[in-house]
Amino acid sequence: MKKIFVLMTLMLSFSVAAVIDVYDFETAEQEALFRTLTAELRCPKCQNNNLADSNASIAKDMRQKTYNMVIEGKNEDEIVTYWIDRFGNFVLYKPPVTLGTAILWVGPGLFVLFGGIIIVRNSRRKSRIATDDNDDELTSAEKNRLAKILKDSEK
């Protein structure tokens, strides 16, 4: 029984072993640039992880390509531009403000504002209609007409 338990424990321990990417850099600045870029770039598959945190195969490929570009001596702007050309602004966690992103940020606020305006206008209209319905007083012309009708009906 002990042998089966030990065998099962060994089999399970091999399944949890994960590969950790190890990159060698020539300078500390290159390593800092790589770490900054992998933290700022989004994994296209995971969509909520950056390249440093993602285990997706595309994220591994992107980390490797980013590492190669850093070693080649490319700066941050060149590397970011390379990834934007391939994946669009989606690859950035902080995309630049464009018409498309402005609509995404301002749109919900405008929707709530216009909805509030519609609600206020409808409630005012209903209260105005309710006060008009409660106006039970007759004008003098209506009183005269009513008196005439009642007089005619008595004859």
Side-chain angles (χ1 to χ4, degrees):
M1 188 70 168
K2 259 186 178 179
K3 290 181 182 179
I4 292 174
F5 179 73
V6 171
L7 181 63
M8 293 297 288
T9 304
L10 284 173
M11 288 173 40
L12 288 174
S13 66
F14 288 123
S15 67
V16 297
V19 177
I20 299 174
D21 296 329
V22 178
Y23 298 103
D24 294 325
F25 297 95
E26 297 168 2
T27 64
E29 290 83 19
Q30 287 180 340
E31 183 176 0
L33 176 60
F34 177 78
R35 300 235 182 265
T36 301
L37 287 169
T38 56
E40 290 176 358
L41 296 173
R42 183 191 317 255
C43 173
K45 182 177 181 182
C46 303
Q47 299 182 3
N48 203 22
N49 287 347
N50 58 25
L51 292 183
D53 295 337
S54 177
N55 287 327
S57 60
I58 192 167
K60 291 177 184 179
D61 293 342
M62 288 176 72
R63 278 194 302 266
Q64 184 62 44
K65 181 64 177 175
T66 302
Y67 169 75
N68 292 341
M69 288 190 284
V70 167
I71 294 300
E72 290 171 7
K74 296 193 178 196
N75 63 24
E76 183 175 359
D77 291 335
E78 292 172 326
I79 297 170
V80 168
T81 301
Y82 174 84
W83 290 119
I84 290 173
D85 289 344
R86 275 135 192 89
F87 294 102
N89 286 329
F90 174 77
V91 79
L92 300 174
Y93 265 116
K94 297 176 184 175
V97 177
T98 62
L99 180 61
T101 56
I103 290 171
L104 291 174
W105 283 102
V106 176
L110 291 175
F111 184 74
V112 169
L113 179 68
F114 288 132
I117 290 171
I118 290 170
I119 289 172
V120 167
R121 288 181 66 194
N122 284 344
S123 65
R124 286 184 181 173
R125 183 177 300 145
K126 286 181 183 178
S127 67
R128 191 174 346 121
I129 291 170
T131 57
D132 288 346
D133 288 343
N134 291 335
D135 191 13
D136 291 336
E137 289 203 26
L138 299 174
T139 64
S140 60
E142 291 172 332
K143 288 179 184 177
N144 292 336
R145 183 170 177 241
L146 181 60
K148 183 180 177 186
I149 293 172
L150 289 173
K151 194 188 254 185
D152 290 340
S153 66
E154 288 176 2
K155 291 184 185 179

